[in-house]
C-alpha cells in the first residue's frame, strides 16, 4: 500500500478551511481529482516518505487481506500501536505486496478476512497462491502473528486466517502469539491480539525499542485522506457503529410490483446535522433489534425473568432489552451449539457436533434459530448469565448505498429486499430487512452509520469507462455510481447489466434507468429476466452475448464491478468473464485467467459480494 506524506499542522488547517467552504458537489469533484493524483502516483511507483522513525528502529511488515475494509482497519490500528512502540512499519494490502520481500521480512503481522467457502479476499488471492506454491521461500528466522476475521455461522469459519497461519509455520516461521479467530464482533479480540502481538514484538526486538516513544508525527489530514473522503480528525463525524446517528426516514417506497415473488423497498434517510459523509461503493450500517415476539417466546421457553438484569459489553440491561438489542438470537452457529450442548447436557446435540457429522450439522443449522434449539433441547433450570454466555453480539446489518452524496446532499438511500419465509413450522423474518420494510416509515428514525468500502470505488479517472453487473438488490451501488458520474459530468462511458425474475414486477428503478439512457448518462443497458422465458437467462448470459464489445471496453481501460450473490452469481460472472477474454482476446484459458487476475490487481475488477 502506498503511503502519502501527511500535511503539516499549518497546511492541514488551511486545507480544512478551504474544504469547509466547498459545496457537496465541489467536495465530490475535489475527492475525485485527488484520487486521480493518488492513482497516478501509485502507477508511477512513487513511495512518499513514511512517518518519521529512528534509523535503528526494528522493521515490521503488516499485511492485510480485506474485502469490506475490516481487516484493513485492524491492520492500520496495529500499525499505529507498533509505531508508538518504536517500530518502523510498512503496511501493505496483500495485493500490493511484492512477494519477493517475504524472505527478508523477519517480523510479520497478518490480518485477513474470509469470504465465500473459506476463501481469501479478492486482493489477497495472488499472495495466498504464492505462499502455498512451490516458489514460497523458507522462512526460518521469521516471527509472525495472524488474526483471522470471519463469521462463525459459516462452516469454514476464519479459514483464510487458519491457512495463512498454518502455511507460514510450515515454511519455518515462528509464531509470536497464537492465531486469533475473531467472529463478527471482532473489536475486542482484535484489540487483544494487537496488544499481545506488539508486546511479543517488543520482547523479540529488544533492546532496539527500549524507551521508544511515538515517532509518528501525523496531523490526521493527508491528500490520501481527502481523496478517500475521510475528513480531518477535528471535523470527523461523532457517529459510528458504537454510536449511531438517528436518521429520520424521508421516504419508504415499495419498488417491486404487484404480483412479484419478492418484496423490495427503496428507503431514503436524512443525514442532516450528522456530519456523516460517504462515497459511492460505501455501505450504510443499520443498528438493528430483534423481533419482540421472538424475544418474548425465547424468554418464556427458557423460563427466565425478563426484568432480571444482565451486563453486556457496553451496559447493564434488563434481560428482555438485552435479547432485543444486544444479542444475536436468529443466526445459528457451531460455536453456539457447542456451548449450549454443554449447558443443556444434551448427548444428542453433542453427537450432532461430533467429527464425521458435518453434513448433518450443516443441514440442521439451515433455517433454524436459537428458539428452535432451546425448544428441541430444553435445558433444566438454566440461569440467565449462563445462557447469555452462549450468544454472540447482535451485529448491525450493512446495505450498499444507492445514492450519491453529490446528487443528494445530507441524505442517503438504500435498497432493501425484505426477507420472509417459512421454515420448520414457523414464519421467519429478516432482522433488519423487515424492520426497514414494515416499521421504518416516514418520520420514524433509524440508527445508522457509514461503513466505508475501500475496495469498491469508482475510478479516479473520470474518463475511464465503467461496466456494472448487479442483479436484484445488487443494483444499489450502481444507482449511486451513475448518479455520481452524472453529478460530476464525468465523460466516461457507463454500461449496466441488470437481472431479476420478471420484467413487469422486478425491474428495479426502471424509470430512472430509462431516463439515464435518454440523457446519455447510461450508454448501454442489458437486461436478463430469468422467469420470463422457458430457458432461464441470467446476467452472465447477456455478458457472453455482448462479449466482443465487453472485451473492447476492457481494452479501452474499462473498470468492471460486480455486486450481489457470492455463491452462484459472482462465480458464474467470473467464469463468463474469463471465457469472454479467451474468445475475443484470442488467449488460451490460462492466459485469459491471468488477464482477469491482472484486472483485479489493477483495481479494475472489483466485487462487492455476499
Amino acid at each position: 500500500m502506498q503511503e502519502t506524506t501527511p500535511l503539516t499542522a499549518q497546511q492541514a488547517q488551511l486545507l480544512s478551511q478551504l474544504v469547509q467552504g466547498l459545496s457537496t458537489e465541489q467536495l465530490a469533484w475535489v475527492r475525485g481529482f485527488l484520487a486521480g493524483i493518488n492513482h497516478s502516483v501509485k502507477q508511477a511507483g512513487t513511495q512518499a516518505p513514511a512517518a518519521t522513525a529512528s534509523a535503528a528502529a526494528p522493521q515490521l511488515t503488516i499485511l492485510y487481506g480485506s474485502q469490506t475494509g475490516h481487516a484493513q482497519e485492524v491492520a492500520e490500528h496495529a500499525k499505529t500501536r507498533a509505531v508508538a512502540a518504536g517500530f518502523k512499519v510498512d503496511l501493505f494490502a496483500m495485493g500490493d505486496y511484492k512477494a519477493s520481500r517475504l524472505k527478508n521480512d523477519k517480523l510479520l503481522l497478518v490480518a485477513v478476512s474470509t469470504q465465500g467457502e473459506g476463501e481469501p479476499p479478492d486482493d489477497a488471492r495472488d499472495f495466498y497462491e504464492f505462499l502455498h506454491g512451490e516458489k514460497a521461500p523458507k522462512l526460518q528466522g521469521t516471527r509472525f502473528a495472524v488474526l483471522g476475521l470471519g463469521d462463525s455461522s459459516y462452516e469454514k469459519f476464519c479459514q483464510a486466517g487458519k491457512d495463512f497461519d498454518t502455511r507460514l509455520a510450515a515454511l519455518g516461521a515462528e509464531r509470536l502469539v497464537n492465531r486469533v479467530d475473531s467472529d463478527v464482533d471482532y473489536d475486542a479480540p482484535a484489540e487483544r491480539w494487537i496488544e499481545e502481538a506488539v508486546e511479543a514484538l517488543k520482547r523479540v526486538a529488544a533492546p532496539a525499542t527500549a524507551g521508544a516513544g511515538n515517532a509518528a508525527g501525523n496531523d490526521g489530514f493527508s491528500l490520501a485522506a481527502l481523496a478517500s473522503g475521510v475528513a480531518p480528525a477535528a471535523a470527523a463525524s461523532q457517529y459510528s457503529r458504537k454510536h449511531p446517528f438517528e436518521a429520520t426516514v424521508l421516504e419508504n417506497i415499495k419498488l417491486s410490483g404487484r404480483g412479484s415473488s419478492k418484496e423490495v423497498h427503496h428507503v431514503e434517510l436524512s443525514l442532516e446535522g450528522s456530519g456523516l459523509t460517504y462515497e459511492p461503493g460505501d455501505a450504510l450500517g443499520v443498528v438493528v433489534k430483534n423481533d419482540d415476539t421472538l424475544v418474548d417466546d425465547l424468554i418464556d421457553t427458557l423460563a427466565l425473568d425478563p426484568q432480571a438484569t444482565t451486563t453486556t459489553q457496553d451496559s447493564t440491561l434488563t434481560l428482555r432489552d438485552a435479547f432485543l438489542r444486544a444479542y444475536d438470537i436468529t443466526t445459528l452457529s457451531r460455536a453456539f451449539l457447542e456451548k449450549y450442548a454443554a449447558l443443556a447436557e444434551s448427548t444428542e446435540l453433542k453427537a450432532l457436533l461430533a467429527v464425521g457429522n458435518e453434513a448433518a450439522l450443516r443441514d440442521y443449522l439451515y433455517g433454524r434459530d436459537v428458539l428452535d434449539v432451546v425448544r428441541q433441547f430444553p435445558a433444566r433450570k438454566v440461569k440467565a448469565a449462563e445462557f447469555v454466555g452462549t450468544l454472540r453480539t447482535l451485529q448491525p446489518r450493512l446495505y450498499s448505498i444507492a445514492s450519491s452524496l453529490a446528487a443528494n446532499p445530507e441524505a442517503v438511500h438504500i435498497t432493501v429486499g425484505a426477507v420472509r419465509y417459512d421454515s420448520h413450522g414457523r414464519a421467519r423474518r429478516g432482522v433488519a430487512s423487515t424492520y426497514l420494510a414494515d416499521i421504518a416509515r416516514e418520520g420514524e428514525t433509524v440508527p445508522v452509520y457509514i461503513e466505508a468500502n475501500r475496495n469498491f470505488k469508482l475510478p479516479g479517472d473520470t474518463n475511464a469507462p465503467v461496466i456494472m453487473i448487479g442483479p436484484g438488490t445488487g443494483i444499489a451501488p450502481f444507482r449511486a455510481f451513475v448518479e455520481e458520474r452524472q453529478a460530476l459530468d464525468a465523460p466516461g462511458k457507463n454500461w449496466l447489466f441488470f437481472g431479476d425474475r420478471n420484467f413487469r414486477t422486478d425491474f428495479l428503478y426502471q424509470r430512472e434507468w430509462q431516463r439515464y439512457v435518454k440523457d446519455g448518462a447510461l450508454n448501454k443497458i442489458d437486461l436478463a429476466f430469468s422467469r420470463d422465458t422457458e430457458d432461464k437467462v441470467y446476467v452472465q448470459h447477456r455478458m457472453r452475448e455482448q462479449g466482443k464489445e465487453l472485451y473492447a471496453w476492457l481494452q479501452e481501460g474499462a473498470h468492471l464491478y460486480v455486486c450481489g450473490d457470492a455463491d452462484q452469481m459472482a462465480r458464474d460472472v467470473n467464469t463468463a468473464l474469463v471465457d469472454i477474454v479467451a474468445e475475443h482476446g484470442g488467449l488460451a484459458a490460462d492466459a485469459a485467467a491471468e488477464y482477469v487476475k491482472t484486472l483485479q490487481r489493477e483495481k479494475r475488477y472489483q466485487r462487492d459480494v455476499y
Side-chain angles (χ1 to χ4, degrees):
M1 187 178 85
Q2 300 291 337
E3 303 275 357
T4 57
T5 306
L7 304 180
T8 66
Q10 184 177 6
Q11 290 170 328
Q13 183 179 8
L14 176 60
L15 191 50
S16 179
Q17 292 170 351
L18 291 172
V19 168
Q20 290 172 2
L22 298 179
S23 67
T24 302
E25 293 83 357
Q26 291 168 327
L27 267 174
W29 183 90
V30 171
R31 286 201 302 269
F33 175 74
L34 291 174
I37 293 176
N38 286 342
H39 178 73
S40 300
V41 170
K42 287 183 179 181
Q43 292 297 103
T46 302
Q47 178 73 45
T52 305
S54 167
Q59 175 69 52
L60 169 65
T61 298
I62 302 177
L63 303 179
Y64 64 86
S66 186
Q67 196 70 26
T68 62
H70 291 164
Q72 180 176 355
E73 174 189 327
V74 171
E76 289 172 346
H77 184 42
K79 176 180 178 179
T80 300
R81 294 285 296 276
V83 169
F87 288 86
K88 179 182 178 183
V89 182
D90 285 341
L91 176 68
F92 295 95
M94 290 182 186
D96 297 330
Y97 180 68
K98 292 183 178 179
S100 58
R101 282 187 50 146
L102 183 60
K103 62 183 178 181
N104 297 317
D105 284 334
K106 298 303 182 182
L107 298 176
L108 186 67
L109 298 185
V110 176
V112 61
S113 62
T114 296
Q115 65 168 352
E117 297 301 315
E119 301 161 358
D122 289 345
D123 70 340
R125 290 191 180 189
D126 280 351
F127 182 62
Y128 179 92
E129 291 174 3
F130 166 79
L131 196 67
H132 288 79
E134 295 181 357
K135 294 183 179 180
K138 298 299 180 183
L139 297 177
Q140 283 83 3
T142 296
R143 302 292 187 92
F144 76 96
V146 173
L147 172 75
L149 292 90
D151 183 338
S152 62
S153 65
Y154 287 85
E155 183 177 357
K156 296 186 177 180
F157 172 55
C158 284
Q159 188 61 50
K162 294 173 183 176
D163 290 347
F164 275 105
D165 181 72
T166 300
R167 182 57 175 166
L168 288 167
L171 292 170
E174 182 179 346
R175 292 182 182 88
L176 287 158
V177 295
N178 290 333
R179 184 191 74 247
V180 170
D181 299 331
S182 59
D183 207 341
V184 287
D185 45 347
Y186 63 90
D187 291 346
E191 179 63 31
R192 288 194 297 271
W193 177 78
I194 291 171
E195 183 177 353
E196 292 174 4
V198 170
E199 288 302 313
L201 284 166
K202 287 162 66 175
R203 290 193 296 271
V204 168
T209 60
N214 187 352
N218 192 338
D219 294 308
F221 199 103
S222 65
L223 291 177
L226 183 57
S228 64
V230 178
S237 172
Q238 61 180 308
Y239 300 106
S240 66
R241 182 160 55 106
K242 296 292 186 182
H243 303 285
F245 172 69
E246 292 291 336
T248 300
V249 178
L250 300 174
E251 199 165 47
N252 187 333
I253 301 171
K254 188 176 179 181
L255 291 178
S256 43
R258 182 179 300 175
S260 174
S261 57
K262 303 167 75 174
E263 180 188 341
V264 180
H265 289 249
H266 171 78
V267 181
E268 300 186 5
L269 300 153
S270 172
L271 298 180
E272 185 176 0
S274 69
L276 290 170
T277 61
Y278 60 87
E279 291 183 304
D282 290 344
L284 185 74
V286 178
V287 177
V288 299
K289 76 179 190 68
N290 288 308
D291 180 73
D292 291 72
T293 302
L294 177 61
V295 167
D296 292 337
D297 287 346
L298 180 59
I299 291 174
D300 288 344
T301 302
L302 292 166
L304 296 174
D305 178 5
Q307 297 306 312
T309 58
T310 184
T311 302
T312 69
Q313 289 183 355
D314 302 314
S315 59
T316 298
L317 302 171
T318 67
L319 186 64
R320 188 175 190 276
D321 282 344
F323 279 4
L324 275 172
R325 305 178 186 281
Y327 294 109
D328 188 344
I329 60 173
T330 60
T331 307
L332 279 190
S333 67
R334 182 187 183 94
F336 166 76
L337 289 183
E338 288 174 344
K339 294 174 183 176
Y340 185 75
L343 185 63
E345 299 180 345
S346 171
T347 55
E348 188 177 351
L349 259 184
K350 291 176 181 177
L352 184 63
L353 293 161
V355 176
N357 285 343
E358 287 79 11
L361 176 61
R362 188 163 50 247
D363 290 341
Y364 182 80
L365 291 172
Y366 185 78
R368 286 184 170 89
D369 61 18
V370 171
L371 179 58
D372 292 313
V373 177
V374 300
R375 281 179 171 174
Q376 185 175 354
F377 306 103
R380 295 181 181 178
K381 297 181 179 179
V382 63
K383 296 179 180 178
E386 292 175 327
F387 185 76
V388 163
T390 68
L391 302 174
R392 66 180 187 175
T393 304
L394 180 61
Q395 294 298 304
R397 301 304 196 258
L398 299 178
Y399 289 91
S400 297
I401 291 175
S403 57
S404 159
L405 196 60
N408 302 275
E410 296 193 308
V412 62
H413 304 171
I414 54 176
T415 310
V416 181
V419 177
R420 308 180 200 271
Y421 62 98
D422 292 327
S423 178
H424 302 288
R426 287 177 47 215
R428 316 287 169 148
R429 295 158 51 89
V431 174
S433 65
T434 55
Y435 162 66
L436 289 167
D438 299 342
I439 301 173
R441 296 301 176 183
E442 293 180 23
E444 299 291 335
T445 61
V446 176
V448 302
Y449 64 97
I450 301 298
E451 180 92 355
N453 187 347
R454 308 174 195 188
N455 296 312
F456 202 72
K457 285 285 177 281
L458 280 167
D461 180 5
T462 57
N463 289 288
V466 167
I467 302 169
M468 301 161 284
I469 304 164
T473 54
I475 195 66
F478 303 134
R479 182 177 183 268
F481 277 21
V482 176
E483 274 195 352
E484 178 88 351
R485 301 264 278 185
Q486 184 182 57
L488 301 183
D489 291 325
K493 298 184 295 183
N494 302 301
W495 185 354
L496 174 68
F497 288 87
F498 172 72
D500 214 313
R501 294 179 179 176
N502 300 100
F503 173 85
R504 186 177 61 85
T505 58
D506 303 313
F507 190 176
L508 306 181
Y509 300 110
Q510 178 181 357
R511 292 182 180 178
E512 292 185 23
W513 298 125
Q514 290 172 334
R515 185 179 72 248
Y516 284 135
V517 170
K518 181 179 179 180
D519 294 346
L522 188 61
N523 301 85
K524 285 180 65 67
I525 183 170
D526 282 276
L527 305 172
F529 293 98
S530 60
R531 306 293 173 87
D532 282 347
T533 57
E534 186 175 343
D535 296 326
K536 292 185 177 180
V537 178
Y538 298 105
V539 287
Q540 63 268 21
H541 299 125
R542 297 301 186 213
M543 290 172 61
R544 292 179 185 275
E545 292 171 1
Q546 299 291 331
K548 182 177 180 180
E549 187 169 2
L550 193 154
Y551 179 71
W553 277 47
L554 291 176
Q555 288 294 90
E556 292 173 18
H559 290 235
L560 188 145
Y561 301 86
V562 180
C563 182
D565 170 57
D567 291 336
Q568 294 184 339
M569 182 278 297
R571 292 177 185 273
D572 292 341
V573 164
N574 190 78
T575 299
L577 182 60
V578 173
D579 291 346
I580 287 167
V581 170
E583 178 182 356
H584 299 284
L587 300 176
D590 289 349
E594 182 59 28
Y595 180 102
V596 171
K597 285 185 178 180
T598 299
L599 293 179
Q600 289 182 308
R601 295 186 194 107
E602 295 175 349
K603 311 298 184 186
R604 288 178 51 206
Y605 175 22
Q606 299 180 35
R607 308 192 308 167
D608 182 9
V609 297
Y610 38 85

